Amino acid sequence: MALEMEIKFPEADLAALRAALQVLGATGGAPYLECNRVYDTPGRDLRAANTLLRLRTKAGPDLRAAVLTMKRPPHAADAGSAPIPDDVKVWDEVQTAVADADAMHHVLTGLGYTVAFGYDKVREVWSLDGVHVCLDTMPFGPVAELEGDREAIMAVADRLGLDRARASIETYHDLNRRWRAAHGLPPAEDFTFDAAGLAAARRMVFGEDDGRAGAE
């Protein structure tokens, strides 16, 4: 497994970050639609073990892909002799491409897993100085996520003018839960686009509504 390190910046100004990334010579940036399903046992044993099992589909003008991912907290030995930093989120992560997302869904449910919750986003992945800078439009608002080595993450955050004091190591599930509480909304684990939000997301990705707002 590979160690993944990341931090998030909720309520980030994605337009300003996009402009800064372009000026700094970052590559990438094509938006695509992500639809995620998180699986667990009926008793939520994976959640109790702080383990994520996720099936993700990606759709864009020239992109159709699916990825199965498992994430869990690392053991100290996994980081070698270096201590695990506490100012970035660190995961043991293993993932693999999936040829048929529907077939994999049936494999997982056949093994006794159920869909615990789902979430959507429009994502742009930029690369700068060895860091993936993900500009995410979520149902609960914009988030910038930086992934890479800790030192590189912090350096890129500084280059982009991001305030480290506003960084978060919470998961998207936690950010959604906190956002709902702050807006007086009842608890809900799912944070998927509604019909209007999905149509807007598809316009961001495909340039116009292609008539398949409910297809993903």
Side-chain angles (χ1 to χ4, degrees):
M1 295 187 183
L3 287 183
E4 177 195 70
M5 299 185 184
E6 62 186 35
I7 55 173
K8 295 180 176 68
F9 292 87
E11 301 179 9
D13 185 336
L14 300 189
L17 287 173
R18 188 180 299 113
L21 287 161
Q22 292 170 339
V23 168
L24 293 171
T27 58
Y32 58 87
L33 177 64
E34 270 190 15
C35 298
N36 299 272
R37 287 177 283 187
V38 175
Y39 294 80
D40 208 333
T41 65
R44 303 301 292 271
D45 295 315
L46 295 183
R47 180 178 180 179
N50 201 14
T51 297
L52 175 78
L53 179 61
R54 179 185 66 208
L55 181 60
R56 167 176 289 173
T57 59
K58 305 176 184 180
D62 300 305
L63 175 65
R64 288 291 187 278
V67 179
L68 182 68
T69 301
M70 187 192 74
K71 292 185 178 185
R72 66 180 184 181
H75 299 290
D78 297 327
S81 59
I84 297 174
D86 59 6
D87 56 353
V88 293
K89 189 70 173 180
V90 184
W91 297 101
D92 264 336
E93 180 183 63
V94 60
Q95 61 183 15
T96 186
V98 173
D100 188 326
D102 289 337
M104 179 56 70
H105 168 75
H106 288 301
V107 168
L108 295 171
T109 55
L111 291 172
Y113 295 105
T114 61
V115 177
F117 64 93
Y119 65 99
D120 299 335
K121 71 177 80 151
V122 173
R123 167 164 278 193
E124 302 170 36
V125 181
W126 297 79
S127 295
L128 179 65
D129 298 341
V131 173
H132 287 153
V133 181
C134 303
L135 306 185
D136 292 336
T137 301
M138 312 291 299
F140 57 81
V143 180
E145 181 179 76
L146 277 60
E147 301 176 0
D149 292 334
R150 181 197 173 278
E151 292 75 13
I153 287 174
M154 298 306 178
V156 166
D158 291 343
R159 291 192 72 189
L160 292 173
L162 290 165
D163 183 359
R164 293 196 202 177
R166 300 187 64 183
S168 172
I169 61 172
E170 291 182 295
T171 66
Y172 281 115
H173 183 267
D174 291 333
L175 291 175
N176 173 65
R177 183 169 51 196
R178 185 156 55 84
W179 178 84
R180 293 186 68 85
H183 287 78
L185 298 173
E189 292 197 278
D190 289 289
F191 44 110
T192 55
F193 292 123
D194 59 17
L198 184 56
R202 296 194 67 86
R203 286 192 294 271
M204 291 176 63
V205 173
F206 296 99
E208 58 183 280
D209 189 352
D210 63 2
R212 296 187 301 129
E216 298 297 339

